[in-house]
Amino acid sequence: MPASPSTARAINDRVALRLLQQEGPLTAGQLKQLTGLSRPTVADLVERLTAAGLIEVVGESGEQRRGPNARLYGIVADRAHLAALDVRTEGVSVVVCDLLGRELARASVPIADDTGTGPAVEQAVTLVERAAKEAGAERLHTVGVGAPGLIDPATGELRDSSGLPEWHRRLVAALQERLPARVIVENETNLAALAEQRDGAARDRDTFVLLWLGHGTGAAVVLDGRLRRGASGGTGEIGFLPVPGTSTLPSATDCEGGFHSLAGSAAIAELAAGHGLVATAASPGEPEAAALVRQAVATLSSSSSPSASSGADRFLSALADRLAIGAASVVAVLDPGCVVLGGEVGQAGGEVLAARVGERLTRMSPLPVEVRASTLGGGAVLRGALLTARESAQDDLFAPRSR
């Protein structure tokens, strides 16, 4: 069945808006060329989108050109303001952007372990409100939240997860109550994978696994371009994976004894200490493991001391042995063809660590797999939360309106 005139107009509008989002400001002639629509049809959609406050004239094309054909149209960036949150056990970070993704404000606040639930929630919500005010946003349209733990695939709510503070769950409800905005919650590792696929190490892959290596461990699975969450939202809870090399087995309420015991930040720090390495330059909020791995990689490339270089080499080799154990299990089940070592530790290890893990996987698995280092590190969570918020806001704003 051919589309009705109103449906055709809605489709054309969305196509034009997506092009303006992806390509930047365009003239009506360029829109005509890229969409394949007729000149009158493009003129009509430009008029509709301008009247709706979604696009505006932002300049002219070419120094010598003037007149209607030279007008450059762009999306009205302040049509909506967005916020992205990265919620960790030790604090919260927030970034506020416009509809085009341009950063307007960024802030963070540490939250101590002994902070009560109410005060912790208040600190986090106040941080978002202050960042929005600094960005000049009267209201936020959509807020994307990345948090550890399980997200119920049916309701989108953050579920109870062992070892996480209660204020995480309360924060989502408080944001919904205090802010006139849509609040979207997603597992932090899943958001990191979306960011690595869009802007990072997996840009050319529609099937891959992100192995998150930060304070804790996790995994995100992208198959055929789609993020897979599982029946209960628990896909990628690799910290609970039973592995050799630990003294016990994980339980339903504690990942101690699972892969987390080999690859969590505390376990990596203990491994480094056993090879004579001590972290000397950790950034604020950075896992100690990331500082140790970065330091070891730097030592290998620049040290004139054979003993220091040897210790760093042995540490990275032992760490690669551990990471390959978890990665091999994932590869054997999913055959993703690509594993990204994500999080702060994956970024710190860079190609040096990725190559070592890759070598071990080649010996352990008959399935071909490429191992890559994260290019976004811990910042992937905020980036993924922003991309999710932006996509949701655009779906709402770009949707056809009843006439």
Side-chain angles (χ1 to χ4, degrees), residues 66-203:
R66 296 292 183 270
N69 290 336
R71 292 173 184 165
L72 280 169
Y73 295 93
I75 291 175
V76 179
D78 60 0
R79 184 72 164 74
H81 289 95
L82 319 169
L85 276 75
D86 182 0
V87 180
R88 307 286 181 102
T89 55
E90 69 277 5
V92 177
S93 297
V94 61
V95 60
V96 179
C97 297
D98 61 22
L99 190 57
L100 291 176
R102 293 184 299 214
E103 183 177 318
L104 304 175
R106 179 182 291 261
S108 61
V109 61
I111 297 179
D113 292 339
D114 58 354
T115 305
T117 298
V121 170
E122 183 61 30
Q123 286 183 49
V125 177
T126 299
L127 180 76
V128 179
E129 292 175 333
R130 287 176 178 170
K133 183 177 181 180
E134 179 185 339
E138 294 184 4
R139 65 180 297 273
L140 294 171
H141 182 283
T142 306
V143 178
V145 181
L150 302 181
I151 309 299
D152 191 312
T155 65
E157 295 180 354
L158 182 64
R159 295 168 47 193
D160 282 325
S161 189
S162 61
L164 298 177
E166 174 63 22
W167 65 264
H168 280 197
R169 294 193 69 206
R170 291 278 299 276
L171 173 59
V172 175
L175 289 170
Q176 292 170 332
E177 292 171 1
R178 294 263 290 269
L179 302 176
R182 176 184 304 170
V183 179
I184 302 171
V185 187
E186 180 58 271
N187 173 267
E188 59 178 355
T189 308
N190 288 343
L191 291 178
L194 293 176
E196 292 285 359
Q197 186 180 35
R198 182 78 64 87
D199 301 323
R203 285 190 298 271

Side-chain angles (χ1 to χ4, degrees), residues 167-261:
W167 65 264
H168 280 197
R169 294 193 69 206
R170 291 278 299 276
L171 173 59
V172 175
L175 289 170
Q176 292 170 332
E177 292 171 1
R178 294 263 290 269
L179 302 176
R182 176 184 304 170
V183 179
I184 302 171
V185 187
E186 180 58 271
N187 173 267
E188 59 178 355
T189 308
N190 288 343
L191 291 178
L194 293 176
E196 292 285 359
Q197 186 180 35
R198 182 78 64 87
D199 301 323
R203 285 190 298 271
D204 60 338
R205 307 290 306 200
D206 62 0
T207 295
F208 70 99
V209 167
L210 175 89
L211 195 64
W212 179 264
L213 305 168
H215 288 287
T217 60
V221 177
V222 177
L223 301 177
D224 299 323
R226 292 183 56 192
L227 182 67
R228 307 292 177 164
R229 296 176 175 83
S232 64
T235 295
E237 287 294 319
I238 197 173
F240 287 86
L241 181 72
V243 292
T246 62
S247 59
T248 183
L249 289 173
S251 70
T253 59
D254 189 355
C255 61
E256 189 64 33
F259 183 63
H260 174 82
S261 295

